[in-house]
Amino acid sequence: MRMEFLVILLYLLPTCVLFLYSCAQLSLVWSYWHRQAPIEELSLLTSLPKVCVQLPIYNERYVIERLIDAVCAFEYPQELLEIQVLDDSTDETVALIAQKVAHYQSVGFAISHIRRPQREGFKAGALAYGLTLTQAEFIAIFDADFIPAPDFLQKTLPHFSSSSVGVVQTRWGHLNESYSLLTQLQAFGLDGHFVVEQGGRNADGHFINFNGTAGVWRASCITDAGGWSSDTLTEDLDLSYRAQLRGWQFVYLEKVESPAELPATMPAFKSQQYRWMKGAAECARKNLWKVFKNEALRFSTKTHAAFHLLNSGVFIAVFVMALLSIPALLITHESPRFNSVLGIFQFFQLSVVILLGFYGTTHYGRKSLFELAWQLPLFLSVIMGLSLHNSIAVIEGYFGKKTPFVRTPKWGIVQHQGNWQQKKYLVRSLNLLTWLELGLVLYFGFGLALGLYWQTYSLVGLHSMLVLGYGFVGYYSVKHSLS
């Protein structure tokens, strides 16, 4: 009896956690619709500042040339534009950069090919090193897979009219959203962050984050916040919180889009997820207590900061709830008296309804009801299917286990043009974790069969989504690893 009660309790606790997280998302939906900051009428800058564009690069042979071309096409006076190609590459990318840089230097661009003596600190170290070599007032940063528009600086710099603004961040677009079902689902989820989360937090005056790329920093803000640090895998989130704790304001521009390439394979996507989830957990470990101690912050801002920094921990809650769902099903079948307690599971179902409003807001006017109807349940299923993989990353982050920064490979794919097969930088994930994910398909399939056989339908929907999600993740992990 005591063990049965413990299992049911451990099953219900993560369900309540997920419900609280959904309530935080609902709050952001409310802020997005009802508290949008007024659109500021910005005039053209009368005195243009000097801008340094930093391009941190590590082995990007397929995309580096188009990035340099895009940055050199900026509609900005050449004498005020400095470009740093911060190149840590170890392959033929070095020669491609050297050739491009030499060409643009010959036509008058202040562009430099910077090779550090030692590759320490990964991306954060490269950005910090480049900062010591420039006197520019503003620093624009782009990862290798982005193609910024020519008017990027014209649309972002006017928002620094207040001296308290430290960062202007733009929304990511997607160069290859239609490439595959995997890229469509990635775009579906990322848009939720870049529309409702960033937009809602910014509208309400809460902390947001620089997304590592497609944004502009005031150089003095970076210095005042303590500079770039490589002690987490998400140096962008870390510096964002340190800067805002110092009182700097961030501006988010949802209407300014900076397109980028989405990971085209499941192993590459999982590699990116690992870095983001673990890095967020590391940042929570490093910065959350500082947020709570800051007496200048509103309680609501502290609350949203907690959900923001701890959001990767949701995957632990999803995995624990999923894993214990079958023992809970067995217990309630043998001991019907627990059915009333299990009614708390309706919180999970309510969470799904809230997420429908969240992603409905995200894609309002962008997707049809038909697209939303099939993409949302499939996206949520795949998120569940990543819960084991991402939970491992989050736990490592919370416990301080250090691992190197692993870049996400990109192959120059634009919509349906291009491919990744037989190219360099392929990530393979055919390992023990992949086999465990495939094993969980059988595990949750067993739970689904039990529910149908016993005509106990309360968990049929959950187990169906888990079978689909783990099947999707496991299948494409194997398929893309063997291709």
Coordinates of all heavy atoms in Angstrom, one line a residue, residues 371-399:
E371 N -3.0 23.0 -40.6 CA -1.5 22.9 -40.3 C -1.3 22.8 -38.8 O -0.6 21.9 -38.3 CB -0.7 24.0 -40.9 CG -0.6 24.0 -42.4 CD 0.1 25.2 -42.9 OE1 -0.3 26.4 -42.6 OE2 1.1 25.1 -43.6
L372 N -2.0 23.7 -38.1 CA -1.9 23.7 -36.6 C -2.4 22.3 -36.0 O -1.8 21.8 -35.1 CB -2.6 24.8 -36.0 CG -2.4 25.1 -34.5 CD1 -1.0 25.5 -34.2 CD2 -3.3 26.2 -34.1
A373 N -3.5 21.8 -36.6 CA -4.1 20.6 -36.1 C -3.2 19.4 -36.1 O -3.3 18.5 -35.3 CB -5.4 20.4 -36.8
W374 N -2.4 19.3 -37.2 CA -1.5 18.1 -37.2 C -0.1 18.4 -36.7 O 0.6 17.5 -36.2 CB -1.5 17.5 -38.6 CG -0.7 18.3 -39.7 CD1 -1.2 19.2 -40.6 CD2 0.7 18.2 -40.0 NE1 -0.2 19.7 -41.4 CE2 1.0 19.1 -41.0 CE3 1.8 17.5 -39.4 CZ2 2.3 19.3 -41.6 CZ3 3.1 17.7 -39.9 CH2 3.3 18.6 -41.0
Q375 N 0.4 19.6 -36.8 CA 1.7 19.9 -36.4 C 1.9 20.0 -34.9 O 2.9 19.5 -34.3 CB 2.2 21.2 -37.0 CG 2.5 21.1 -38.5 CD 3.1 22.3 -39.1 OE1 3.4 23.3 -38.4 NE2 3.3 22.3 -40.4
L376 N 0.9 20.5 -34.2 CA 1.0 20.6 -32.7 C 1.1 19.3 -32.0 O 2.0 19.0 -31.2 CB -0.2 21.4 -32.2 CG -0.2 21.5 -30.6 CD1 1.0 22.2 -30.1 CD2 -1.5 22.3 -30.2
P377 N 0.1 18.3 -32.3 CA 0.3 17.0 -31.6 C 1.5 16.3 -32.0 O 2.2 15.6 -31.1 CB -1.0 16.3 -32.0 CG -1.5 17.0 -33.2 CD -1.1 18.4 -33.1
L378 N 2.0 16.4 -33.2 CA 3.2 15.7 -33.6 C 4.4 16.4 -33.0 O 5.3 15.7 -32.5 CB 3.3 15.8 -35.2 CG 4.5 15.0 -35.7 CD1 4.6 13.6 -35.3 CD2 4.5 15.1 -37.3
F379 N 4.4 17.7 -32.9 CA 5.5 18.4 -32.2 C 5.6 18.0 -30.8 O 6.7 17.7 -30.2 CB 5.3 19.9 -32.4 CG 6.2 20.7 -31.5 CD1 7.6 20.9 -31.8 CD2 5.7 21.3 -30.3 CE1 8.4 21.6 -31.0 CE2 6.6 22.1 -29.5 CZ 7.9 22.2 -29.8
L380 N 4.4 18.0 -30.1 CA 4.4 17.6 -28.7 C 4.9 16.2 -28.5 O 5.6 15.8 -27.5 CB 3.0 17.8 -28.1 CG 2.5 19.3 -28.0 CD1 1.1 19.3 -27.4 CD2 3.5 20.1 -27.1
S381 N 4.5 15.3 -29.4 CA 5.0 13.9 -29.3 C 6.5 13.8 -29.5 O 7.1 13.0 -28.7 CB 4.3 13.1 -30.4 OG 2.9 13.1 -30.3
V382 N 7.0 14.5 -30.4 CA 8.5 14.5 -30.6 C 9.2 15.1 -29.4 O 10.3 14.6 -29.0 CB 8.9 15.2 -31.9 CG1 10.4 15.3 -32.0 CG2 8.3 14.5 -33.1
I383 N 8.7 16.1 -28.8 CA 9.3 16.7 -27.6 C 9.3 15.6 -26.5 O 10.3 15.5 -25.8 CB 8.5 17.9 -27.1 CG1 8.7 19.1 -28.1 CG2 8.8 18.3 -25.7 CD1 10.2 19.6 -28.2
M384 N 8.2 14.9 -26.4 CA 8.2 13.8 -25.4 C 9.2 12.7 -25.8 O 9.9 12.2 -24.9 CB 6.8 13.1 -25.4 CG 5.7 14.0 -24.8 SD 4.1 13.1 -24.8 CE 3.0 14.4 -24.2
G385 N 9.4 12.5 -27.0 CA 10.4 11.5 -27.5 C 11.8 11.9 -27.2 O 12.7 11.1 -27.3
L386 N 12.0 13.2 -27.0 CA 13.4 13.7 -26.7 C 13.6 13.8 -25.2 O 14.7 14.2 -24.7 CB 13.6 15.1 -27.3 CG 13.7 15.2 -28.8 CD1 13.6 16.6 -29.3 CD2 15.1 14.6 -29.2
S387 N 12.6 13.4 -24.4 CA 12.7 13.6 -22.9 C 13.8 12.9 -22.3 O 14.5 13.4 -21.3 CB 11.4 13.3 -22.3 OG 11.0 12.0 -22.4
L388 N 14.1 11.7 -22.7 CA 15.3 10.9 -22.1 C 16.6 11.6 -22.5 O 17.4 11.9 -21.6 CB 15.3 9.5 -22.6 CG 16.5 8.6 -22.2 CD1 16.7 8.6 -20.7 CD2 16.4 7.2 -22.8
H389 N 16.8 11.9 -23.7 CA 18.0 12.5 -24.2 C 18.2 13.8 -23.5 O 19.3 14.1 -23.0 CB 17.9 12.7 -25.7 CG 19.0 13.5 -26.3 ND1 19.0 14.9 -26.4 CD2 20.2 13.1 -26.9 CE1 20.1 15.3 -27.0 NE2 20.8 14.2 -27.3
N390 N 17.2 14.7 -23.5 CA 17.3 16.0 -22.9 C 17.4 16.0 -21.4 O 18.1 16.8 -20.8 CB 16.2 16.9 -23.4 CG 16.3 17.3 -24.8 OD1 17.3 17.0 -25.5 ND2 15.3 18.0 -25.3
S391 N 16.8 15.0 -20.7 CA 16.9 14.9 -19.3 C 18.3 14.6 -18.9 O 18.8 15.2 -17.8 CB 16.0 13.8 -18.8 OG 14.6 14.1 -18.9
I392 N 19.0 13.8 -19.6 CA 20.4 13.5 -19.3 C 21.2 14.8 -19.4 O 22.1 15.0 -18.5 CB 21.0 12.4 -20.3 CG1 20.2 11.1 -20.0 CG2 22.5 12.3 -20.1 CD1 20.6 10.0 -21.0
A393 N 21.0 15.6 -20.4 CA 21.7 16.8 -20.5 C 21.5 17.8 -19.4 O 22.4 18.4 -18.8 CB 21.4 17.5 -21.9
V394 N 20.2 17.9 -19.0 CA 19.8 18.8 -17.9 C 20.4 18.4 -16.6 O 20.9 19.2 -15.8 CB 18.3 18.9 -17.8 CG1 17.8 19.7 -16.6 CG2 17.7 19.5 -19.1
I395 N 20.3 17.1 -16.3 CA 20.9 16.6 -15.0 C 22.4 16.8 -15.0 O 22.9 17.2 -13.9 CB 20.6 15.1 -14.9 CG1 19.1 14.9 -14.6 CG2 21.4 14.4 -13.7 CD1 18.6 13.4 -14.7
E396 N 23.1 16.6 -16.1 CA 24.5 16.9 -16.1 C 24.8 18.4 -15.8 O 25.7 18.7 -15.1 CB 25.1 16.5 -17.5 CG 25.2 15.0 -17.7 CD 25.8 14.7 -19.1 OE1 26.1 15.6 -19.9 OE2 26.1 13.5 -19.3
G397 N 23.9 19.2 -16.4 CA 24.1 20.7 -16.2 C 23.8 21.1 -14.7 O 24.6 21.8 -14.1
Y398 N 22.8 20.5 -14.1 CA 22.5 20.8 -12.7 C 23.6 20.3 -11.8 O 23.9 21.0 -10.8 CB 21.2 20.1 -12.3 CG 20.0 20.8 -12.8 CD1 18.8 20.1 -13.0 CD2 20.0 22.2 -13.2 CE1 17.6 20.7 -13.5 CE2 18.8 22.8 -13.7 CZ 17.7 22.0 -13.8 OH 16.5 22.6 -14.3
F399 N 24.3 19.2 -12.1 CA 25.3 18.7 -11.2 C 26.7 19.1 -11.6 O 27.7 18.7 -11.0 CB 25.3 17.1 -11.2 CG 24.2 16.6 -10.4 CD1 22.9 16.3 -10.9 CD2 24.4 16.4 -9.0 CE1 21.9 15.8 -10.2 CE2 23.3 15.9 -8.2 CZ 22.1 15.6 -8.8

